[in-house]
Amino acid sequence: MKTELQAKFLQHLVQKKKENEGFTLIELLVVIIIIGILAAIALPSFLNQANKARESEAKTYVGSMNRGQQAYYLENGTFADNDNFGALGLGINTQTRNYKYVIAGGGGTNSTNVTNQGQPIVNTVKAFVGGVSLGTITKTSEATTLAVLCQAKLAPAVKGPAGTEVVADAQGEPTTVCQGIGNYDSIK
């Protein structure tokens, strides 16, 4: 009798396993809803990171343009203008997928400042403007070049600046210089 009971018990367990092999419709719906909620939370963050990556290109390029202008001035006694963009020796394109790079001002021996602009082509990224000016160190009265890099507070898609602003003078506190040209913050 014991073996017969054991056999029936094992048979019952085998049948129960066969019945519980799949998922119910409710279980599948709950998993799909959870995945949907997680995707809805992650998507805006992902899109924001993609724009930040695009903006880092312009930040790097305009910063390099500033440093190139400083070196160009030391060698030539003047700032490069847009026609001499290649003379900065940066090896960067004047236009990429996301930005157009322009030098405003410069050229000529009387030039005391120049503006380097990263103008957005894609209207969801922020504009960048850099400026290099002649200045003096007050303690030593030595002439030097001073640079500032500014980032727009908003992208053109939400009524932010287009990156065509001119830095009249890069002397002074970077925060003040960037606020003086419009809706910009200084980058440290």
Side-chain angles (χ1 to χ4, degrees), residues 25-169:
L25 183 61
I26 292 178
E27 290 171 332
L28 288 174
L29 285 174
V30 167
V31 169
I32 290 171
I33 290 171
I34 290 171
I35 290 172
I37 290 170
L38 292 174
I41 292 170
L43 187 63
S45 177
F46 171 74
L47 294 175
N48 191 28
Q49 292 302 321
N51 278 340
K52 283 184 180 181
R54 290 183 189 105
E55 290 170 359
S56 70
E57 168 203 311
K59 180 179 176 181
T60 301
Y61 279 19
V62 174
S64 295
M65 290 168 67
N66 279 353
R67 289 183 291 284
Q69 287 286 6
Q70 289 176 310
Y72 187 87
Y73 188 85
L74 287 173
E75 293 175 6
N76 301 298
T78 184
F79 293 110
D81 59 9
N82 206 47
D83 294 334
N84 295 331
F85 193 98
L88 293 177
L90 302 175
I92 62 174
N93 294 325
T94 56
Q95 185 168 331
T96 63
R97 232 172 144 188
N98 303 310
Y99 286 92
K100 178 181 177 185
Y101 300 98
V102 176
I103 299 172
T109 55
N110 294 331
S111 177
T112 59
N113 66 343
V114 67
T115 301
N116 302 305
Q117 302 167 339
Q119 302 169 353
I121 294 173
V122 177
N123 68 355
T124 57
V125 295
K126 298 174 184 175
F128 287 81
V129 176
V132 181
S133 296
L134 290 180
T136 56
I137 300 172
T138 52
K139 290 182 180 179
T140 60
S141 298
E142 294 175 335
T144 188
T145 54
L146 304 168
V148 67
L149 181 58
C150 307
Q151 176 182 4
K153 292 180 181 177
L154 300 171
V158 287
K159 298 189 170 71
T164 56
E165 294 75 19
V166 174
V167 178
D169 189 4

